[in-house]
Amino acid sequence: RRALLEILFTEESSSDKRMQIAQKELDYVDKILNDDNKNYHSWSHRQWIIRTINQPQLWSAEIDYSHKKMLLDPRNNSAWNQRWFATHEGQNARVLSFEKAEEEANYAICGAQVDPFNESPWRYLIGVFLEQWRLGVAQSGEEEGVAQEKVSNLIREYINKMKEMNKVWDDPPEDYPSGPCVSLISALVDLLETVGDKSSLEEAKTLMGELVEEDPVRRKY
């Protein structure tokens, strides 16, 4: 299908017509994902279409599309991956602005509140913050110290939110597994390590000791 579409896109000079072809194919892919919403090949094909056409309305629409898929299945990691793809406009490798990073961090924490045992929103949150920490500071246009402090303060804000969430799992609701929420604790460790001051690292080390007991599958990691 991709090979045939490449021919159609190449032969068609009208951008409107190309968009019509692309939208028709996206609708087709949507039908496939309705049957199997974690079909890697379908998600990959969908990304290729949007990246090839590369129109702002498609990037924006794909953010909404991935959100709808997450509402149907919050544990659909492919949909979380698609949101990252769409917000960053694929291979354009666009680093999120600080303001957009705040929005995406809030989106992720809301997703985690729906199901804290779901690893996908936590990984998304970590990705947003690590990008800001490693790349956003350098590309912000602000003095490095000022930019780094903004990012650090934002991460600390979310660390505090996560600590409050973690307290709930000392006495978890009836519908959830008993015991600590290892996905939450693991994400908390990553953020504490990112901040990297002495007290944060000591706290991360203590939490890692808890993870060794509660998540033995990943003990060596």
Side-chain angles (χ1 to χ4, degrees):
R1 290 190 74 92
R2 183 177 300 186
L4 294 171
L5 282 168
E6 284 176 341
I7 295 171
L8 289 177
F9 288 152
T10 301
E11 291 180 345
E12 185 54 64
S13 59
S14 169
S15 60
D16 289 342
K17 185 63 176 178
R18 281 162 55 91
M19 181 68 79
Q20 290 175 14
I21 296 170
Q23 191 57 61
K24 184 177 180 180
E25 187 71 3
L26 290 172
D27 292 342
Y28 171 80
V29 174
D30 181 49
K31 292 177 181 178
I32 304 299
L33 290 173
N34 284 337
D35 290 334
D36 178 6
N37 65 10
K38 297 177 182 177
N39 186 316
Y40 172 81
H41 308 289
S42 297
W43 285 108
S44 177
H45 187 51
R46 194 173 180 90
Q47 289 188 2
W48 174 81
I49 296 164
I50 295 168
R51 188 169 57 242
T52 299
I53 299 301
N54 195 26
Q55 291 294 323
Q57 58 266 45
L58 285 185
W59 292 113
S60 179
E62 197 63 11
I63 295 174
D64 294 336
Y65 180 81
S66 62
H67 174 67
K68 291 176 182 176
K69 288 299 183 183
M70 277 183 256
L71 292 178
L72 294 173
D73 179 6
R75 287 177 175 259
N76 187 348
N77 191 59
S78 294
W80 284 95
N81 180 66
Q82 193 75 354
R83 185 179 180 91
W84 182 274
F85 167 81
T87 56
H88 288 75
E89 297 188 1
Q91 292 183 338
N92 294 340
R94 187 169 59 90
V95 176
L96 298 181
S97 68
F98 182 80
E99 292 72 23
K100 183 62 177 175
E102 282 189 288
E103 291 180 18
E104 292 304 299
N106 185 61
Y107 183 89
I109 204 74
C110 288
Q113 287 169 342
V114 171
D115 180 4
F117 289 86
N118 179 9
E119 196 170 4
S120 294
W122 294 121
R123 293 300 97 200
Y124 191 90
L125 181 69
I126 297 300
V128 169
F129 284 143
L130 286 183
E131 179 183 69
Q132 288 297 304
W133 190 262
R134 295 170 178 170
L135 302 175
V137 169
Q139 298 186 28
S140 66
E142 298 177 306
E143 292 184 13
E144 183 176 350
V146 174
Q148 195 167 42
E149 184 177 5
K150 282 174 61 177
V151 176
S152 178
N153 288 340
L154 182 62
I155 294 175
R156 290 177 189 276
E157 177 186 336
Y158 276 80
I159 285 175
N160 291 332
K161 290 181 180 181
M162 292 163 68
K163 288 179 181 178
E164 290 299 314
M165 288 178 65
N166 196 34
K167 290 178 182 178
V168 174
W169 305 110
D170 292 335
D171 184 22
E174 293 182 2
D175 295 339
Y176 286 93
S178 60
C181 180
V182 295
S183 294
L184 192 163
I185 296 172
S186 177
L188 188 53
V189 167
D190 284 343
L191 289 186
L192 287 166
E193 185 182 16
T194 299
V195 172
D197 57 36
K198 184 177 180 181
S199 63
S200 296
L201 292 176
E202 288 176 352
E203 188 173 358
K205 186 177 180 180
T206 300
L207 290 172
M208 285 296 289
E210 184 177 350
L211 282 175
V212 167
E213 298 297 324
E214 300 297 339
D215 191 20
V217 171
R218 293 187 288 183
R219 179 180 294 160
K220 292 182 179 180
Y221 169 76

